Amino acid sequence: MPAIMEDQDREEHLELPRFQTPVIQDNPHGWGPCDMPDQFKDMPYQPFSKGDRLGKISDWTGATFQDKKYTSKYQSQFGAGSQYAYYHEEDESSFHLVDTTRVQKPPYQRGRFRQNQRNLRGRGGQRAGDRKNQVNAKKYGKQQGLRNQKNQAPIKNRDASVTVRPDWVTIEEMDFPRLSKLSLPNVKEAEDIVCCGSLEYYDKMYDRVNVKNEKPLQRIDRIFHTVTTTDDPIIRKLSKNEGNVYATDAILATLMCCTRSNYSWDIVIEKIGDKLFFDKRDNTEFDLLTVNETSVEPPCDDSTSLNSPRNLALEATFINHNFSQQVLKTGEARFKFDESNPFITSPEEGEEASVAYRYRKWDLDNGVVLVARCEHDAVLNTPSGDLQFLTIKALNEWDSKLSGGVEWRQKLDIQRGAVLANELRNNACKLAKWTVQAILAGSDHIKFGYVSRVHVRDSSKHVILGTQQYKPAEFATQIKLNMDNAWGILRCIIDICMKQRDGKYLIMKDPNKPLIRLYDIPDNTFESENEDAEEEEGGLYLM
């Protein structure tokens, strides 16, 4: 009995467990807490899914070096949040960008990353992923492009054709976009003033030359005169009573096609009273033919290389002169104009190239009358007995791997259009100037020859692989050469020069920008160079 009483007293002294009910927030509009707990305030939260893959613990490079194959491998189902993004909150309103010039990309970087944009297309033409994926893929492509070009030498700025001296004054800058919008329509047909020289007949056998029946290019020992405007005795006579603007066809073609040129060139202009004389400087590379001037990747400017711009220009000029004389019927009677070649001297008899000169004039309205010396290379007898005047030029292949990848020996006979299209891309300026010269001279046809090296690494031996013939006006339409625009550019330059005082001026193509500049230069500029060249004949002798 006493034991039972002790157990009851022990149970009375024991404390019973107590249940404290938690504070429950009543949310009348839904479920869950109404307010943010104090311990979780100011803590960023980004939603995640248990199915998301874990990437790197700490990624300091961001999305720059993402694997291209797995651009969305570590993306969250809720998207890329910005809760942990860094924001620079300092006031930068007082900072201004000083240099706003746009840095032009080198040619080898232009248009390289369009493939990456095409790869981002999903099915049905929709974008694969969000905007961030596209930016990341572009960044990846740019990094890859820079890596691929890391071993290549940077593009070197081209040098000007003449050094601009401190005492030269810039009068006008004419950029190509503005020049390309000019137009002078309805220019009247040219009028012949004087025709002189003699021409050999074209040998039609060369029309049958093809890749399987190639002909080796021969060396023709003849002299080609490259006399400038003011040294031409006939233009000196004509300047007394004919016209008020004087030039040669090569100078006019350079000005009229200036918007297609990339390399630097210069032309001297002399204003005497109301007359303008356009001249080229002596002992310059003005008469050399450019090679791949308008190519996306022009030849490397390494003077020691076989394929440097100057060496290729010398090779192309050599090929043109020899080809234009080889395709003629030598030893037969020539077609002769009433007057003889004005540049011929007695010791050179028998060594003169087949060439005839037409001195023609154009009325450009408002009192501007242009007189120019133009050239023909050969004549052709038609079946009806009529004579047709020809302009003969040669396109040359030097290394197909470095000039568009079109091999002439494989494509010329079966896809001649592809070969010509590649030449139009790489030599747009040269072909346009040839076409303008043929139109100015009034040639009935312009005949192109396709000449290639026998061996890629030997620039001294060549073979003729074929020929092709066009009417100059039709070929101008094919290459999108607008003669109204060409006349407009020339007239614009003439008008600007006519407004200046009497003196000497120089117009030069900027070596690295698409524009030409007109300089006012002292009257005695280049006189020392001219005195040194007075004893030399204005011709080029080919061995």
Side-chain angles (χ1 to χ4, degrees):
M1 191 67 181
I4 295 173
M5 294 296 293
E6 289 178 3
D7 293 337
Q8 291 178 350
D9 293 339
R10 190 180 296 114
E11 290 177 0
E12 291 178 357
H13 287 86
L14 289 176
E15 294 184 0
L16 296 175
R18 296 179 180 180
F19 175 73
Q20 295 181 354
T21 57
V23 178
I24 300 177
Q25 298 180 3
D26 184 16
N27 189 345
H29 303 291
W31 61 276
C34 297
D35 299 325
M36 176 70 70
D38 294 337
Q39 64 268 32
F40 297 129
K41 284 184 178 180
D42 300 327
M43 179 179 293
Y45 171 74
Q46 182 170 330
F48 67 95
S49 171
K50 293 183 179 180
D52 292 342
R53 291 193 176 113
L54 295 178
K56 306 175 183 64
I57 297 176
S58 179
D59 186 2
W60 302 102
T61 62
T64 306
F65 298 101
Q66 275 194 358
D67 193 343
K68 185 178 179 182
K69 296 181 180 179
Y70 306 103
T71 53
S72 59
K73 183 176 181 180
Y74 296 107
Q75 283 189 348
S76 173
Q77 292 183 7
F78 296 95
S82 60
Q83 287 80 2
Y84 294 95
Y86 171 75
Y87 297 97
H88 188 68
E89 297 180 354
E90 293 183 8
D91 183 19
E92 294 185 353
S93 60
S94 61
F95 292 88
H96 300 281
L97 183 63
V98 179
D99 186 7
T100 59
T101 57
R102 183 179 177 183
V103 180
Q104 188 176 7
K105 291 184 178 180
Y108 60 82
Q109 289 186 9
R110 298 175 192 164
R112 181 173 291 275
F113 314 120
R114 294 178 183 173
Q115 183 67 27
N116 295 332
Q117 297 179 2
R118 289 197 296 268
N119 291 339
L120 290 175
R121 293 281 184 183
R123 293 183 179 178
Q126 297 179 352
R127 294 284 182 180
D130 57 5
R131 179 70 179 173
K132 192 175 181 65
N133 290 343
Q134 301 172 22
V135 175
N136 293 342
K138 288 181 181 179
K139 287 182 179 180
Y140 173 85
K142 182 176 288 188
Q143 294 290 338
Q144 289 296 107
L146 293 176
R147 289 174 192 160
N148 294 338
Q149 301 296 336
K150 188 163 71 172
N151 296 328
Q152 289 190 5
I155 295 298
K156 181 182 178 181
N157 288 337
R158 290 184 286 265
D159 296 328
S161 60
V162 61
T163 304
V164 178
R165 301 176 186 177
D167 56 345
W168 293 4
V169 180
T170 303
I171 297 176
E172 189 78 25
E173 283 190 357
M174 295 164 272
D175 59 278
F176 289 176
R178 284 192 302 161
L179 291 176
S180 61
K181 296 178 183 178
L182 299 176
S183 179
L184 182 63
N186 304 322
V187 175
K188 299 177 183 178
E189 289 292 329
E191 179 184 341
D192 290 342
I193 305 174
V194 179
C195 296
C196 51
S198 61
L199 295 170
E200 292 180 334
Y201 290 86
Y202 177 74
D203 190 350
K204 295 182 180 179
M205 178 193 69
Y206 284 90
D207 289 340
R208 298 190 294 271
V209 173
N210 53 37
V211 175
K212 297 180 180 179
N213 183 30
E214 61 186 27
K215 293 284 185 181
L217 183 69
Q218 302 172 5
R219 297 191 178 189
I220 311 296
D221 296 338
R222 290 182 174 180
I223 290 180
F224 290 81
H225 294 283
T226 56
V227 181
T228 188
T229 307
T230 52
D231 292 339
D232 189 325
I234 294 184
I235 287 184
R236 288 181 180 178
K237 293 178 183 179
L238 295 177
S239 64
K240 297 177 181 179
N241 52 14
E242 294 281 356
N244 54 3
V245 179
Y246 308 92
T248 65
D249 59 347
I251 293 175
L252 292 179
T254 301
L255 293 174
M256 297 168 86
C257 302
C258 64
T259 55
R260 300 189 180 211
S261 61
N262 289 339
Y263 292 160
S264 180
W265 47 263
D266 61 271
I267 293 171
V268 178
I269 306 170
E270 196 164 357
K271 185 174 186 292
I272 304 174
D274 61 344
K275 299 181 186 296
L276 287 179
F277 294 87
F278 290 82
D279 277 303
K280 64 183 181 66
R281 291 186 298 114
D282 292 326
N283 303 322
T284 62
E285 299 181 1
F286 183 84
D287 294 304
L288 295 182
L289 300 173
T290 61
V291 177
N292 279 41
E293 177 181 358
T294 57
S295 173
V296 177
E297 296 182 1
C300 59
D301 194 4
D302 182 7
S303 58
T304 61
S305 172
L306 180 69
N307 298 326
S308 67
R310 175 173 170 76
N311 291 336
L312 288 174
L314 290 170
E315 180 185 359
T317 307
F318 168 86
I319 291 172
N320 257 270
H321 288 171
N322 285 303
F323 175 79
S324 66
Q325 303 303 303
Q326 180 177 338
V327 297
L328 306 178
K329 296 179 180 179
T330 58
E332 297 185 7
R334 293 190 177 197
F335 170 82
K336 295 183 179 181
F337 282 110
D338 295 336
E339 297 191 22
S340 60
N341 191 323
F343 314 117
I344 225 170
T345 56
S346 54
E348 297 173 352
E349 291 290 349
E351 296 181 351
E352 288 300 318
S354 169
V355 62
Y357 301 104
R358 282 184 187 267
Y359 293 85
R360 319 185 83 192
K361 69 176 181 180
W362 292 263
D363 186 359
L364 303 184
D365 296 331
N366 296 334
V368 178
V369 179
L370 170 67
V371 175
R373 184 187 76 226
C374 306
E375 297 182 10
H376 294 301
D377 296 315
V379 289
L380 177 65
N381 266 325
T382 62
S384 61
D386 297 332
L387 282 180
Q388 292 185 342
F389 294 94
L390 303 181
T391 296
I392 301 176
K393 302 296 180 182
L395 298 166
N396 63 296
E397 180 188 38
W398 48 285
D399 190 342
S400 60
K401 295 181 180 179
L402 301 177
S403 57
V406 179
E407 294 188 15
W408 288 11
R409 287 173 173 82
Q410 295 181 1
K411 300 287 186 180
L412 197 57
D413 286 349
I414 58 176
Q415 290 181 328
R416 184 162 295 186
V419 175
L420 184 59
N422 187 59
E423 289 299 306
L424 289 174
R425 284 192 297 269
N426 296 337
N427 298 288
C429 183
K430 179 170 68 175
L431 284 165
K433 288 197 290 186
W434 285 348
T435 308
V436 167
Q437 288 178 258
I439 292 175
L440 293 177
S443 295
D444 296 291
H445 291 94
I446 179 170
K447 192 171 287 288
F448 295 113
Y450 295 93
V451 181
S452 178
R453 292 178 181 176
V454 177
H455 302 289
V456 176
R457 298 183 180 180
D458 184 4
S459 61
S460 61
K461 297 179 181 179
H462 302 84
V463 291
I464 303 171
L465 300 179
T467 59
Q468 197 167 7
Q469 178 175 291
Y470 289 97
K471 291 182 178 180
E474 295 178 358
F475 189 70
T477 304
Q478 183 172 339
I479 66 175
K480 297 181 180 179
L481 173 62
N482 187 351
M483 286 303 296
D484 290 347
N485 173 245
W487 285 116
I489 294 172
L490 180 64
R491 178 60 191 272
C492 175
I493 295 172
I494 291 174
D495 289 344
I496 293 174
C497 295
M498 281 293 190
K499 296 177 183 178
Q500 310 304 320
R501 59 177 177 82
D502 288 5
K504 186 178 287 188
Y505 302 89
L506 182 132
I507 189 167
M508 184 181 73
K509 159 70 172 67
D510 188 282
N512 301 299
K513 296 179 181 179
L515 57 88
I516 55 178
R517 292 188 179 92
L518 180 65
Y519 295 96
D520 184 355
I521 62 178
D523 293 341
N524 59 353
T525 310
F526 310 127
E527 281 188 0
S528 59
E529 300 176 9
N530 295 338
E531 291 174 0
D532 296 339
E534 277 182 358
E535 298 179 358
E536 299 180 3
E537 178 66 28
L540 180 63
Y541 189 78
L542 290 182
M543 296 295 292

